């Protein structure tokens, strides 16, 4: 028997849960489907949210012969077999290829499709769980329209879960009763993945045997079959970088609650190294000179976490995340180094001034190296003006003091000293 998720698969766009930004009444994808003119497309989004279902529905409105391939198993031979049937009586109106998991196709496999996509004889509908801008080669991607499918809302998945139980009742002839919170739990635990939620509902049905012709679907049974399924995470995939990005931006935005949320998701995925590295980067990139001590404190928290291991590591890491989120912010160091790097990459380098060059060797004085250098510690306030930048960059400005207490105190200190030498 087919899995319940396949038996419940929608047959029209109106039956598809969610994705209203694409297939709602004013959705661009709905309008394309209704026009009957299907362009080359790629559907991008996490698993179990309707990409394959929508592709199946689209295939029904075209007169072209439908072929299906999966990037995990297909070869160039499979692609060539389809190409060989173009311009034959088998495909008088051309072919429609649905290629699932296109990210597993290598460059040569993807390029095999190119010329036939260009002349219109082959229409490609691809799907991928990974960012197409990273995994599809530019020449192929430029001929595809990208549609992003979003994770479903809890209420959308909950309605499908209830329909799954109704279907099981109809197929078995047995009545059922759901313990309070069952549908909501399955919808939330499966994090917007309809296929996973329906599969969990079917397993819960099977693990709750009927009593007097009625099945009582308990919350405990659902927790057993859906455990940790809400963790959509792949250390090599989009979710890895999206969660790290969200953690970083939440801390940069001084939102401690969001910072702890994303930290918890990363820690539950056992991604300790990535968290430690990112927190260390944030300390210098976003707190920076507004509170220089943050770097050493975060380093201590990271060292403690790595020594403790999970689950205790979550405590010092949470301290570090909250400290950074609530600390004053400055990106003055980041901006300074980026400006300097930009000058260097543009060729604005210049020779080191002779008086700054190394003079600790015989013959340096004859070359004029270190001659005329003034040792700042010999002067009042340990400062004396002299040229440090190369001649070509004389007067270049990279660092702006940030508008925070620490940097402004430094600015006032040096302004008072330097104005005496103007």
């Amino acid at each position: 028997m087919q899995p319940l998720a396949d038996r419940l698969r929608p047959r029209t766009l109106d039956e598809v849960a969610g994705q209203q930004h694409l297939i709602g009444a004013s959705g661009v994808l709905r309008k394309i489907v209704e026009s009957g003119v299907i362009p080359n497309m790629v559907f991008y989004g996490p698993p179990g949210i309707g990409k394959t279902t929508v592709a199946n529905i689209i295939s029904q409105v075209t007169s072209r012969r439908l072929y299906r391939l999966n990037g995990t198993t297909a070869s160039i031979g499979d692609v060539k077999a389809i190409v060989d049937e173009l311009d034959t009586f088998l495909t008088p109106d051309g072919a429609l290829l649905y290629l699932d998991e296109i990210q597993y196709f290598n460059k040569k496999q993807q390029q095999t499709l190119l010329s036939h996509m260009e002349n219109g004889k082959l229409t490609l509908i691809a799907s991928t769980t990974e960012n197409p801008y990273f995994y599809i080669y530019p020449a192929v991607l430029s001929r595809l329209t990208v549609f992003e499918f979003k994770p479903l809302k809890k209420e959308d998945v909950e309605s499908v879960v209830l329909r799954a139980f109704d279907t099981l009742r109809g197929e078995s002839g047995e009545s059922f009763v759901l313990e309070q919170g069952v549908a909501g739990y399955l919808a939330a635990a499966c994090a917007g993945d309809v296929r996973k939620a329906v599969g969990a509902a079917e397993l819960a049905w099977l693990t709750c045997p009927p009593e007097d012709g009625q099945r009582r679907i308990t919350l405990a049974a659902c927790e057993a079959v859906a455990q940790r399924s809400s963790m959509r995470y792949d250390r090599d995939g989009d979710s890895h970088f999206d969660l790290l990005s969200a953690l970083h931006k939440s801390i940069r935005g001084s939102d401690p609650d969001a910072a702890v949320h994303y930290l918890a998701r990363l820690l539950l995925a056992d991604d300790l190294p990535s968290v430690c590295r990112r927190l260390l980067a944030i300390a210098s990139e976003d707190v920076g000179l507004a509170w220089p001590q943050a770097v050493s404190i975060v380093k201590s928290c990271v060292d403690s976490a790595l020594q403790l291991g999970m689950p205790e590591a979550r405590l010092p890491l949470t301290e570090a995340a909250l400290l950074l989120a609530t600390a004053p912010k400055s990106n003055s160091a980041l901006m300074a180094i980026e400006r300097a790097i930009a000058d260097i990459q543009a060729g604005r380098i210049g020779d080191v001034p002779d008086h700054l060059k190394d003079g600790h060797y015989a013959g340096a004085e004859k070359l004029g190296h270190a001659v005329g250098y003034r040792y700042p510690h010999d002067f009042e306030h340990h400062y004396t003006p002299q040229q440090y930048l190369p001649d070509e960059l004389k007067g270049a400005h990279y660092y702006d003091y940030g508008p925070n207490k620490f940097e402004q105190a430094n600015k006032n200190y040096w302004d008072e000293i330097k104005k005496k030498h103007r």
Side-chain angles (χ1 to χ4, degrees), residues 62-65 88 90-95 120-121:
T62 177
S63 58
R64 298 187 167 201
R65 182 171 181 179
T88 70
L90 293 173
T91 57
D93 299 313
K121 294 178 180 177

Side-chain angles (χ1 to χ4, degrees), residues 353-411:
D354 285 344
H355 64 281
L356 297 184
K357 291 180 178 177
D358 181 23
H360 295 87
Y361 60 93
E365 187 175 356
K366 291 182 180 179
L367 295 174
H369 294 181
V371 175
Y373 172 67
R374 296 192 295 273
Y375 187 58
H377 297 297
D378 289 339
F379 298 85
E380 185 183 10
H381 301 299
H382 302 266
Y383 173 78
T384 183
Q386 60 187 321
Q387 181 181 333
Y388 290 98
L389 282 169
D391 289 340
E392 290 85 344
L393 287 167
K394 189 175 180 179
H397 179 72
Y398 300 120
Y399 172 60
D400 289 317
Y401 290 93
N404 56 77
K405 184 177 180 179
F406 182 85
E407 289 182 88
Q408 285 301 304
N410 285 345
K411 180 179 184 300

Side-chain angles (χ1 to χ4, degrees), residues 251-321:
I251 292 175
R252 178 186 294 153
S254 303
D255 188 329
D257 298 310
V260 171
H261 169 79
Y262 292 114
L263 174 65
R265 289 172 66 171
L266 287 159
L267 292 180
L268 285 173
D270 295 324
D271 197 357
L272 195 59
S274 295
V275 171
C276 292
R277 182 178 182 276
R278 186 58 65 107
L279 290 174
L280 286 169
I282 294 169
S284 293
E285 180 179 342
D286 297 292
V287 174
L289 293 175
W291 188 26
Q293 296 93 328
V295 175
S296 56
I297 297 174
V298 171
K299 178 63 166 59
S300 296
C301 289
V302 165
D303 289 345
S304 296
L306 293 176
Q307 187 171 0
L308 288 169
M310 289 296 289
E312 290 85 356
R314 62 186 182 175
L315 299 175
L317 292 179
T318 301
E319 287 183 26

